Amino acid sequence: MIRTLAALFVTLVLWALVAQLNHELAAVHVYLFVGGLVVTASALVLPLRSGLAGSFCGGLVFDSVTPVAFGTHALLFATAHAFVFHLRDRLPRDDTTGRVVIALCCNLAVFLGFSFLQISRSAAPATAWPRLIADLIASQLFLALVAPWFFALQRQVLIFTQTAPERIR
């Protein structure tokens, strides 16, 4: 339970940071999405149960401020978490560069999945894609910059709560 709360705490810190950035970037019509980073951080380090609960609850946090059906982010995050967790023994999860690449791929998948689920609600779906692509590029660049800090923050929170797995201590 403490690992889940630690993962949720770190997710809330990232969510608050990105929400403030999105507020400032609204004037230039750019939206940052970092859901893949939330999923990757939990899926690569935590056990399945606590990591999945952390990703699901993080998805609920993202759902709470988005005008979509409640649970959409949560289900996407849980699905992505299960996929990354299943592959984590075959992925380079011990070095920061590998984690960032995994987070970028996961963010791309979650962003596209969310976009395809929601594009049908648009009045003109074809005109939405250039904006979505611009948002995706901005999100990926931002994620590449902030991911090392986020992974270090998660590691320190897990060490502080004395719940860090042996391999990250």
Side-chain angles (χ1 to χ4, degrees):
M1 182 65 156
I2 294 175
R3 284 182 179 163
T4 302
L5 292 175
L8 185 58
F9 171 75
V10 175
T11 298
L12 286 171
V13 169
L14 180 67
W15 172 79
L17 174 71
V18 173
Q20 290 301 312
L21 281 171
N22 281 333
H23 178 72
E24 294 299 322
L25 291 172
V28 292
H29 306 287
V30 175
Y31 177 79
L32 299 176
F33 179 79
V34 292
L37 182 57
V38 171
V39 170
T40 304
S42 295
L44 292 179
V45 175
L46 299 176
L48 179 61
R49 188 174 182 181
S50 57
L52 187 60
S55 291
F56 186 81
C57 292
L60 293 176
V61 169
F62 277 64
D63 277 333
S64 67
V65 295
T66 310
V68 297
F70 194 69
T72 303
H73 283 96
L75 289 175
L76 281 172
F77 286 14
T79 302
H81 180 94
F83 184 76
V84 172
F85 184 85
H86 177 70
L87 295 176
R88 81 179 186 171
D89 290 333
R90 297 178 206 114
L91 298 172
R93 61 184 174 143
D94 292 330
D95 64 324
T96 304
T97 306
R99 286 181 175 188
V100 171
V101 170
I102 295 165
L104 287 168
C105 293
C106 187
N107 198 58
L108 173 67
V110 173
F111 184 91
L112 290 177
F114 185 76
S115 297
F116 280 115
L117 285 175
Q118 299 301 316
I119 197 74
S120 63
R121 300 177 71 196
S122 175
T127 60
W129 283 109
R131 163 80 192 271
L132 290 172
I133 291 170
D135 289 347
L136 177 62
I137 291 169
S139 296
Q140 296 292 74
L141 291 173
F142 176 74
L143 188 142
L145 290 174
V146 78
W149 166 80
F150 186 71
F151 291 133
L153 178 65
Q154 181 194 39
R155 180 178 178 269
Q156 290 303 318
V157 168
L158 289 172
I159 289 171
F160 179 75
T161 59
Q162 299 177 353
T163 59
E166 287 297 319
R167 56 180 233 19
I168 69 166
R169 287 185 191 175

mmCIF file of all heavy atoms in Angstrom, residues 10 15 22 89 107 124 167:
data_model
loop_
_atom_site.group_PDB
_atom_site.id
_atom_site.type_symbol
_atom_site.label_atom_id
_atom_site.label_comp_id
_atom_site.label_asym_id
_atom_site.label_seq_id
_atom_site.Cartn_x
_atom_site.Cartn_y
_atom_site.Cartn_z
ATOM 1 N N VAL A 10 4.152 10.801 -6.457
ATOM 2 C CA VAL A 10 5.036 11.259 -7.525
ATOM 3 C C VAL A 10 4.210 11.643 -8.755
ATOM 4 O O VAL A 10 4.497 12.639 -9.428
ATOM 5 C CB VAL A 10 6.084 10.170 -7.856
ATOM 6 C CG1 VAL A 10 6.935 10.553 -9.028
ATOM 7 C CG2 VAL A 10 6.952 9.906 -6.650
ATOM 8 N N TRP A 15 1.781 15.688 -12.318
ATOM 9 C CA TRP A 15 0.511 16.197 -12.837
ATOM 10 C C TRP A 15 0.357 17.689 -12.524
ATOM 11 O O TRP A 15 -0.055 18.468 -13.400
ATOM 12 C CB TRP A 15 -0.648 15.399 -12.241
ATOM 13 C CG TRP A 15 -1.982 15.957 -12.567
ATOM 14 C CD1 TRP A 15 -2.675 15.822 -13.746
ATOM 15 C CD2 TRP A 15 -2.795 16.754 -11.715
ATOM 16 N NE1 TRP A 15 -3.863 16.493 -13.654
ATOM 17 C CE2 TRP A 15 -3.962 17.068 -12.418
ATOM 18 C CE3 TRP A 15 -2.645 17.225 -10.422
ATOM 19 C CZ2 TRP A 15 -4.980 17.843 -11.871
ATOM 20 C CZ3 TRP A 15 -3.656 17.990 -9.876
ATOM 21 C CH2 TRP A 15 -4.805 18.291 -10.594
ATOM 22 N N ASN A 22 0.672 23.573 -18.820
ATOM 23 C CA ASN A 22 -0.413 23.617 -19.797
ATOM 24 C C ASN A 22 -1.217 24.906 -19.665
ATOM 25 O O ASN A 22 -1.677 25.458 -20.661
ATOM 26 C CB ASN A 22 -1.317 22.398 -19.671
ATOM 27 C CG ASN A 22 -0.716 21.181 -20.334
ATOM 28 O OD1 ASN A 22 0.065 21.296 -21.275
ATOM 29 N ND2 ASN A 22 -1.071 20.014 -19.844
ATOM 30 N N ASP A 89 11.219 -7.344 -18.306
ATOM 31 C CA ASP A 89 12.433 -8.161 -18.171
ATOM 32 C C ASP A 89 13.235 -8.188 -19.464
ATOM 33 O O ASP A 89 14.421 -8.528 -19.447
ATOM 34 C CB ASP A 89 12.076 -9.581 -17.748
ATOM 35 C CG ASP A 89 11.572 -9.632 -16.311
ATOM 36 O OD1 ASP A 89 11.963 -8.742 -15.520
ATOM 37 O OD2 ASP A 89 10.781 -10.539 -15.992
ATOM 38 N N ASN A 107 4.386 6.775 -24.053
ATOM 39 C CA ASN A 107 3.629 8.015 -24.176
ATOM 40 C C ASN A 107 3.004 8.122 -25.565
ATOM 41 O O ASN A 107 1.851 8.529 -25.702
ATOM 42 C CB ASN A 107 4.521 9.225 -23.898
ATOM 43 C CG ASN A 107 3.722 10.465 -23.595
ATOM 44 O OD1 ASN A 107 2.922 10.487 -22.665
ATOM 45 N ND2 ASN A 107 3.939 11.494 -24.385
ATOM 46 N N ALA A 124 -14.968 18.016 -36.717
ATOM 47 C CA ALA A 124 -14.207 17.844 -37.954
ATOM 48 C C ALA A 124 -12.924 17.078 -37.632
ATOM 49 O O ALA A 124 -11.871 17.680 -37.392
ATOM 50 C CB ALA A 124 -13.892 19.203 -38.572
ATOM 51 N N ARG A 167 17.105 -3.595 -6.339
ATOM 52 C CA ARG A 167 17.906 -3.241 -7.511
ATOM 53 C C ARG A 167 18.009 -1.759 -7.777
ATOM 54 O O ARG A 167 18.818 -1.333 -8.569
ATOM 55 C CB ARG A 167 17.422 -3.969 -8.755
ATOM 56 C CG ARG A 167 15.979 -3.778 -9.103
ATOM 57 C CD ARG A 167 15.636 -4.547 -10.341
ATOM 58 N NE ARG A 167 15.016 -3.931 -11.457
ATOM 59 C CZ ARG A 167 14.930 -2.678 -11.793
ATOM 60 N NH1 ARG A 167 15.496 -1.776 -11.098
ATOM 61 N NH2 ARG A 167 14.288 -2.275 -12.848
#
